[in-house]
Amino acid sequence: MTTAPARTDLYPTRGASEVTTPRQDPVVWSAPGTPGPIATAELMGYERDGFLTVDQLISDDEVAVYRAELDRLIADPAVRADERAIIEPTSQDVRSVFEVHRLSEVFAALVRDERVVGRARQILGSDVYVHQSRINVKPGFGASGFYWHSDFETWHAEDGLPNMRTVSVSIALTENLDTNGGLMIMPGSHKSFLGCAGATPKDNYKKSLQMQDAGTPSDEALTGFADAHGIRLFTGRAGSATWFDCNCMHGSGDNITPYPRSNVFIVFNSVENAAVEPFAAPVRRPEFIGARDFTPVR
């Protein structure tokens, strides 16, 4: 009888107490001078801060197309009844729809757009696949926010991503104001991994997609991160985009204004960083949340 070799866990989390681990991975994986849509100065800023912004990634006409497709999806009773649709617990409105690149050819084409996937390849230094995609719908008058977290903490603990070789892009489909629940990031926080306390419940995703609990940092840890790094709030017109590293500490507030904030959110992972078994969860999350199809985007 042979025993499988022990896995190396570079980023322990979900233990008895919080633990901070210095980042063990590069931030920009491509070699200096690698051709791509991101200028050298922007890549240096991404390395330093963990994010970069594009004032107009897609045109106004394209925004209209994607907004119409978002509206179609959230109004479709079949989509609402699908497990990939996440419903606000209070208003019963659609909060998110996952795996939109499989539900919609319109969003599948956006994933393949070189303005989008080309930046992911340049940052990650390899071919990429979609680990997760979704549309986030934040209508006015009370849509709830997303509490402070590192995506990688969840993707490592519950999806089995071994390394920090993953990048997200949030493309605004409505104007992002400083009042309607915009994205906030702690610049430079991606250089330290905060392992959270507490074991992962079975089927944790069913609760965490509405209100995160497991994988949530303590108030003390968040205060320390905010004191060290500050907080940046992102605003911009529809069509703008924010790229950010998988380990950035980020979140967003409730939207109590009359003005909706909706976006399409795509997570690209390197094909050289394919998911294994979860590092700190009893079972894998469903594939519509954490993909197991590692086919490169073409």
Side-chain angles (χ1 to χ4, degrees):
M1 181 176 179
T2 58
T3 303
R7 294 186 303 171
T8 300
D9 184 355
L10 297 177
Y11 302 105
T13 189
R14 311 283 173 100
S17 59
E18 286 181 319
V19 57
T20 301
T21 303
R23 187 186 183 106
Q24 305 295 301
D25 295 306
V27 177
V28 175
W29 288 75
S30 59
T34 299
I38 307 174
T40 299
E42 291 178 307
L43 272 180
M44 291 174 63
Y46 181 86
E47 165 79 34
R48 180 189 66 243
D49 297 327
F51 59 81
L52 65 86
T53 58
V54 178
D55 290 338
Q56 187 172 21
L57 182 70
I58 58 176
S59 69
D60 292 343
D61 289 344
E62 291 171 307
V63 167
V65 170
Y66 297 124
R67 277 284 302 280
E69 183 69 352
L70 179 150
D71 291 341
R72 182 189 73 80
L73 287 170
I74 64 174
D76 185 339
V79 172
R80 182 184 176 89
D82 193 290
E83 66 175 345
R84 289 172 286 192
I86 309 303
I87 308 301
E88 284 275 2
T90 51
S91 68
Q92 294 299 298
D93 291 331
V94 174
R95 174 190 179 101
S96 303
V97 179
F98 280 81
E99 217 171 36
V100 289
H101 71 296
R102 297 194 184 278
L103 289 172
S104 163
E105 178 51 39
V106 173
F107 285 115
L110 179 63
V111 166
R112 297 190 298 266
D113 191 309
E114 192 60 26
R115 293 170 295 180
V116 177
V117 71
R119 285 178 167 85
R121 293 191 190 108
Q122 189 178 2
I123 290 169
L124 301 180
S126 69
D127 279 331
V128 298
Y129 70 92
V130 176
H131 177 69
Q132 184 186 104
S133 72
R134 67 179 187 261
I135 47 175
N136 289 329
V137 185
K138 232 181 191 184
F141 300 117
S144 55
F146 293 85
Y147 197 69
W148 290 106
H149 63 286
S150 154
D151 287 329
F152 180 75
E153 193 279 336
T154 296
W155 299 338
H156 181 69
E158 300 185 39
D159 297 339
L161 295 193
N163 296 95
M164 294 179 182
R165 198 170 182 179
T166 314
V167 64
S168 301
V169 59
S170 175
I171 304 171
L173 301 182
T174 55
E175 187 171 4
N176 283 232
L177 306 168
D178 58 3
T179 51
N180 66 346
L183 174 68
M184 295 181 288
I185 294 179
M186 298 183 186
S189 59
H190 62 304
K191 297 291 184 71
S192 299
F193 176 76
L194 181 62
C196 296
T200 308
K202 186 179 179 181
D203 290 340
N204 178 56
Y205 77 94
K206 293 180 180 179
K207 179 180 179 182
S208 68
L209 295 179
Q210 293 180 331
M211 185 64 67
Q212 188 156 343
D213 186 11
T216 300
S218 69
D219 291 352
E220 293 77 14
L222 287 171
T223 300
F225 266 63
D227 287 346
H229 302 292
I231 297 173
R232 166 81 182 271
L233 170 66
F234 293 85
T235 59
R237 66 194 301 267
S240 62
T242 303
W243 293 82
F244 59 102
D245 180 83
C246 58
N247 191 45
C248 283
M249 192 65 70
H250 67 288
S252 64
D254 296 350
N255 181 14
I256 61 171
T257 75
Y259 310 112
R261 176 186 172 263
S262 300
N263 67 299
V264 54
F265 185 81
I266 307 163
V267 181
F268 293 101
N269 188 39
S270 168
V271 296
E272 299 172 14
N273 189 44
V276 294
E277 291 305 310
F279 283 85
V283 294
R284 302 173 179 179
R285 297 195 300 174
E287 293 195 26
F288 70 86
I289 302 174
R292 295 280 161 172
D293 179 352
F294 311 131
T295 305
V297 176
R298 295 284 187 245

